């Protein structure tokens, strides 16, 4: 079954570049993003470095310069090519990278003939990692395409199309609750340990904030009223000239993976930073939920919490920090999540670019408060 | 009694510049710091703007350009002179600023002849504000002096001199505790509401980390081992070439308000960033306490928590965010604390530069994780 | 004949990308460079904008967004896509650009059926312009390749291979000489008017400075001795950590269009900035020639001035400024050269990447003194 | 006589700070400028370093940290305190600097009891150097004051007050002329050797461009028309938002050393960059004169060239480069002028801030083309 999943996930990465022109494969729109080709190579590097090199007898390592190029941030593995310049890596060409993918896949198949539990867990991590990069690939591509006058369309079917229904407030009583992953299935280290948190009573909206709502915020001077903003967010806004969500275009359009399209009033507003989400909530006399509130409400209200998954990640009010008792794995794998626990905020749920099956109610996504190229949206609490 | 306190606090500000040469009064060592003269003017602007202008009949407002120059960050009051250029404000001269101080003091005395409760509270806020700036003045001066080849001495008695005793771990049982200010005395808005927090059992060290401890961290490669650091902290370290706390000089000295002095092994280590405090704790197989842990342990163990106040602010693991139910005052005063609640960490306690009587167990000081020019130290938890 | 030249020149541009992988076509190593694909598009835009649009009846203009993307710096034509981000233009793809080239070529052929003198001159300018971009394409590619760990080879035959012979000093007597282009053939506006210049007697070296010479400069502390440098050059050196010419690698190799290769002692040193050339000359108790000296010596000594053309551009001591009486053409074409006459130095001759037939003794190439990605070398004067 | 001059010049420097408040003495408005106190110290350092230390027996050198602080750019003397941070040097205080000045003056008097020719020349250089810094002190102060909301007045008599009369074109015939200093009196190394230059016939305006002229340039879209500008100048303009000369304020005022004052239509326009002067000239179908033209016209037309001195430095079209045969003195003194001969333009004449007696027809002042805080103006040629 793991072999099947391996094949499915690995093939999907390659399917993602099918709609692209060769010229798009090295596109890196900004320092925070990576080219499609790099994502394909890096996920392969991950398997080669953490699976094949230490565990597959007779494995021939790749050129160390490839390892240098395709290591993302693992200090324990060695130095890395500077992230903001990944778009300059015209070599290896895509053909060589696809060959590498296939030979690593072959190695993995050999390795999984009689796998130990440790290996199974590592492969599972590698696949979850690759799924994360599938979402990153799409986010990064949207960013890269958005910078071009020709406004390329990635795929007419790749856009989010959903509507928000009439919203109501879902109540939760105060109490000592448990959050975090406590079961046996796969989860990232940052989702555990499961632990107790005290929650005062609160309410969460049953659905997301819409484009229509957000237009009212703008019309009411949302981007001109410093009193609605964190000081840091206000500076960020001024410095970057923000007047609307990242991909809004003109009065009634937005840029998407399906090219420029009409902006639907009833669709959830997306590609907003934490600063914008926070300011919007304040304007509405509401606030963002804490991640514990989100997780607990999801547990209590389940499907009544619409668009919990599959539409947009939802900003929480919670800075990304370790859960009480959090520990990291030894070695490079321990760098996966733990070292990013400062100056970021947690997002909960998942988005339309998240691969199916990758979402989890305990999932902790995280981004700096000024980021807005990912599939982020707003759910209000009070 | 308020009049007495007014006089005492206001005079102390002026006393702080007595040891200075006239040339020091405009010194601004970096964008985050302000010149001594500016602190004297800004605290006066605060009283004039929030007390005299709205409440003192017949009050003649100051030159609007002064208001422009000496407003710190209150958007609701109007535009401000750029903060990084405060050192360029050679005018008004110190004599004019002292005259202004005295005329504002006179206005306050008139205003306080029959004060309403609102006025009493505003004056109290103004005095607490001025005390904060007294500490800032000293911090900023230390920074400005530290940049000069001549290593000026502010005052031979102005340095922290204390030693850490044998430390032990103080235990606290798990439980639902209350933190935050709930009483009647003065407190900043960010200290309330008092609210419940669940704490797992934990231990806190009875005293602070010393210079000797920190030297071991350095000797053990503390600044060369990325696995000890947050990723953001490691970058910060590399970019700025950090190899030791901010004011260490050579193998056994440090720069202080009393000039360059021998570094005592048993004195608490100071002027470290949150990133360094966090890395040090990780190296020690410990962690920083949360602010709730700090406040609760202080409540339980009281004097056994040595140097809780008066030595160094103590970094906590808690990002600076509002307490549940937090609200800000309407108008400009609401900008006092609430708009800074992103990308900063809470420090607890107080330091040797904090004016006597200004400290409180519920006090929430906050700085970005890379800051290290304030009187910050480390207390470990586990 | 013009049609033949048109075909030859236009085809050569396309031939230049034959050795590339598709992934290389969007490679932009730095803000000053452009991707190969962009050069192919821009040279086509030039013909379309200045020839077909105003002169070919019934010509269908290209998408205005293409014009926006592929205008380099002609303010009179309209706004332009930001130069440092040309590498982000993954669209149009190379196939669309080649189609555009061919349709513009077809338009040019139609236009040249019965051409006016003005059209002939414009086409000639367009071809000279395209030849300049052929050289730029190679320079920019060398830069882009040089930034990659895999050190790609463009073409094993694309490197400069020549040796410097025994050098001697060629003398020129003092006198009033004429320089600049005065004849009928094609020349850029900046080469005229031909005008008188007084020259004191001087000597010019018969050949270029070699790698071997330059190694001695380095060994003698050339990069550590500020007294050899212009102050601006010394800062530039320190800021960028220059220790050798741009593409030297290790003790005895250099990076070239043919990949990493051994560095020949007797080959001319290349890819040096004006600052380095100037410092080297000072170290040798010599100086760089003025452009008038270069041109006059070339006239007097002709072939004795070895490597005047076809090896490396030769830095002169002359800032790039207009000749007395210089005028620009009206309209956008007037922006070709005239607006760049500040903060640059003139280089004379031509280099191995310069297309055959493009060189001229009166040619004035120009670059800022810190640039060193072009084919620049050193010839000494005294 | 040298002793008298010494006393006069040295006293004038101190007289220049008389109108200042103590708070002004450390004012550094930008990285290119220096605080008044620093100028007083640096000129003293110059005498101490180049006169007293090597030549006065028994001289006690100053604290090496003072030397570190007050060395401007002499690499041969050692490392220097970073220029952009001179405003942070609150110590030594002004009293200590004035004491130092007087003790160095005393040393100079002792040294000049029986001076060698070399010493006399060095003292003369030191005095000329100090005069340069007197002008710099005023320029820098104007910059520093201009940044303050209170718009301080340095001295009501310190402003330029002169009017331009009816202008005419002064003609000069073509010919081989000599320029540069050839006589015996003091001159800087960069003014020699005197050498021949060929000049085509040209005309120079008899007086400077006025505020009124410049207003017409602005009204005619001078700052909106890229075709009038060097490309580098246009970028500079856009980046900095230039819309008028540096110190123009509102529709009809300008900021001066005498505070904000009405702008006289017939006064010469001042505080323009080379880019603006060059664009203005192009708008007028004229050009800037070369420095050889300026010097030759001054020689031929003498007093008919009005405001050659004492009003404003006049931008020339000539990049600052060495005269043919230029050599520098050995050692640190050789760094005085020679190392700045790139990326700057020559200005000729002198300005109202130039100390009387410091001006010379062969004087070569130089600044980068974007600078405009000095006393620069425009004289047209054609």
């Amino acid at each position: 079954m793991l072999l099947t999943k391996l094949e499915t996930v690995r093939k999907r990465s390659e399917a993602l570049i099918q709609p692209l022109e060769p010229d798009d494969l090295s596109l890196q729109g900004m320092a925070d993003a990576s080219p499609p080709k790099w994502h394909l190579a890096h996920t392969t590097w991950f398997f080669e470095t953490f699976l094949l090199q230490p565990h597959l007898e007779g494995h021939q390592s790749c050129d160390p310069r490839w390892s240098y190029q395709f290591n993302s941030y693992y200090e324990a593995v060695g130095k890395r090519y500077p992230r903001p310049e990944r778009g300059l890596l015209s070599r290896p060409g895509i053909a060589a990278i696809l060959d590498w993918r296939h030979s690593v896949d072959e190695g993995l198949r050999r390795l999984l003939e009689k796998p130990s539990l440790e290996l199974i867990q590592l492969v599972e991590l590698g696949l979850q990692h690759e799924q994360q990069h599938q979402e990153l690939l799409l986010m990064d591509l949207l960013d890269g395409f958005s910078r071009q006058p020709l406004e390329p369309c990635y795929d007419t079917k790749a856009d989010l199309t959903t509507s928000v229904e009439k919203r109501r407030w879902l109540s939760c009583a105060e109490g000592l609750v448990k959050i975090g992953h406590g079961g046996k299935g796969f989860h990232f280290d940052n989702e555990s340990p499961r632990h107790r948190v005290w929650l005062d009573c609160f309410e969460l909206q049953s659905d997301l904030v819409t484009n229509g709502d957000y237009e009212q915020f703008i019309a009411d001077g949302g981007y001109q009223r410093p009193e609605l903003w964190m000081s840091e967010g206000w500076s960020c806004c001024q410095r970057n000239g923000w007047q609307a969500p990242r991909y809004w275009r003109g009065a009634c359009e937005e840029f998407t993976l399906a090219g420029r399209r009409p902006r639907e009033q009833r669709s959830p507003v997306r590609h907003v930073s934490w600063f914008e989400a926070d300011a919007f909530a304040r304007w509405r006399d509401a606030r963002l939920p804490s991640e514990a509130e989100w997780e607990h409400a999801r547990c209590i209200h389940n499907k009544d919490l619409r668009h919990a998954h599959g539409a947009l990640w939802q900003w929480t009010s919670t800075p990304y920090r370790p859960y009480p008792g959090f520990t990291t794995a030894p070695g490079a794998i321990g760098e996966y999540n733990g070292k990013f626990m400062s100056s970021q905020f947690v997002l909960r749920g998942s988005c339309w670019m998240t691969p199916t099956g990758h979402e989890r109610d305990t999932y902790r996504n995280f981004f700096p408060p000024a980021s807005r190229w990912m599939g982020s949206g707003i759910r209000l609490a009070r």
Side-chain angles (χ1 to χ4, degrees), chain A:
Chain A
M1 206 180 82
L2 189 57
L3 267 177
T4 315
K5 182 168 181 188
L6 177 69
E7 189 162 340
T8 311
V9 170
R10 294 283 289 168
K11 279 199 174 153
R12 181 167 184 265
S13 295
E14 296 176 21
L16 284 176
I17 65 164
Q18 290 320 306
L20 297 178
E21 297 217 18
D23 312 61
D24 302 325
L25 291 167
S26 296
L27 176 60
Q28 177 183 33
M30 61 175 177
D32 286 335
S34 300
K37 201 172 76 171
W38 190 91
H39 286 296
L40 293 195
H42 165 67
T43 46
T44 300
W45 169 89
F46 189 95
F47 281 112
E48 153 125 14
T49 303
F50 296 119
L51 272 294
L52 302 193
Q53 284 185 16
H55 300 291
L56 181 61
E57 212 171 317
H59 174 70
Q60 193 78 359
S61 289
C62 70
D63 186 329
R65 296 174 301 177
W66 289 39
S67 186
Y68 173 76
Q69 292 192 167
F70 300 124
N71 177 0
S72 53
Y73 55 65
Y74 298 86
E75 302 272 357
V77 175
K79 300 213 166 198
R80 282 133 299 139
Y81 185 80
R83 175 176 185 146
E85 296 169 25
R86 288 176 187 164
L88 305 186
L89 296 171
S90 72
R91 306 291 179 92
I94 185 67
I97 285 170
L98 291 175
D99 284 350
W100 187 34
R101 286 185 67 86
H102 303 153
S103 94
V104 163
D105 286 348
E106 180 54 34
L108 289 170
R109 276 190 291 270
R110 294 223 317 278
L111 196 65
L112 289 178
E113 278 162 14
K114 284 200 223 151
S116 64
L117 180 60
E118 184 202 354
L119 279 191
I120 291 173
Q121 286 173 339
L122 271 174
V123 170
E124 179 64 39
L125 180 64
L127 293 174
Q128 296 280 345
H129 172 258
E130 181 136 357
Q131 289 183 309
Q132 290 186 311
H133 278 276
Q134 289 169 359
E135 180 169 339
L136 287 167
L137 188 155
L138 292 172
M139 283 164 52
D140 293 355
L141 196 64
L142 179 57
D143 165 72
F145 276 1
S146 78
R147 296 169 187 272
Q148 298 191 46
L150 293 177
E151 300 186 320
C153 164
Y154 166 67
D155 183 343
T156 54
K157 293 178 198 140
D159 192 21
L160 169 68
T161 50
T162 189
S163 285
V164 167
E165 300 191 353
K166 200 165 165 33
R167 279 162 308 200
R168 56 198 177 85
W169 289 101
L170 307 174
S171 295
C172 291
E174 70 174 31
L176 199 58
V177 307
K178 284 202 162 182
I179 69 161
H181 200 285
K184 287 195 174 167
F186 175 84
H187 58 277
F188 288 113
D189 55 1
N190 64 5
E191 299 169 50
S192 69
R194 188 161 171 83
H195 63 285
R196 279 164 293 188
V197 176
W198 173 263
L199 292 180
D200 290 331
C201 59
F202 68 97
E203 295 183 318
L204 210 56
Q205 279 219 328
S206 60
D207 212 336
L208 305 177
V209 168
T210 66
N211 285 326
D213 299 329
Y214 205 85
E215 281 172 12
Q216 287 178 35
F217 168 69
I218 295 176
D220 195 36
Y223 284 92
Q224 278 81 52
R225 292 166 54 187
E227 71 272 20
L228 297 173
W229 296 74
M230 284 293 118
S231 175
E232 187 193 4
W234 181 246
S235 301
C236 180
C237 225
Q238 303 305 106
R239 196 169 52 244
N240 297 298
W242 287 354
Q243 301 285 341
R246 170 79 187 264
Y247 295 125
W248 283 24
R249 299 264 161 117
C252 44
E253 291 181 310
E254 62 187 332
F255 185 71
T256 76
L257 284 171
R260 190 197 272 243
R261 293 168 57 120
R263 209 162 69 219
E264 300 296 339
Q265 293 277 315
R266 291 184 46 213
S267 292
V269 65
R270 49 181 161 161
H271 302 297
V272 290
S273 64
W274 183 89
F275 291 129
E276 287 162 302
D278 173 71
F280 177 88
R282 191 166 293 107
W283 171 74
R284 266 290 172 89
D285 288 324
R287 59 178 177 82
L288 301 176
S290 71
E291 65 169 326
E293 288 172 339
W294 192 97
E295 186 172 329
H296 180 60
R298 170 69 178 157
C299 177
I300 298 294
H301 292 285
N302 207 332
K303 307 239 152 152
D304 289 346
L305 204 70
R306 294 207 60 223
H307 290 126
H309 289 287
L312 294 169
W313 292 97
Q314 294 139 62
W315 281 113
T316 73
S317 64
T318 310
Y320 180 47
R321 293 289 299 147
Y323 283 166
F326 170 75
T327 51
T328 55
I333 286 292
E335 300 183 49
Y336 199 102
N337 276 310
K339 72 181 184 184
F340 300 110
M341 293 176 166
S342 67
S343 306
Q344 314 219 41
F345 278 88
V346 173
L347 301 101
R348 287 304 194 100
S350 59
C351 85
W352 89 100
M353 297 179 287
T354 313
T356 313
H358 187 69
E359 70 278 1
R360 246 185 331 277
D361 285 348
T362 57
Y363 205 109
R364 306 178 78 198
N365 200 354
F366 49 88
F367 278 96
S371 298
R372 47 188 212 159
W373 88 105
M374 64 289 184
S376 55
I378 313 173
R379 183 187 301 276
L380 296 179
R382 70 180 183 193

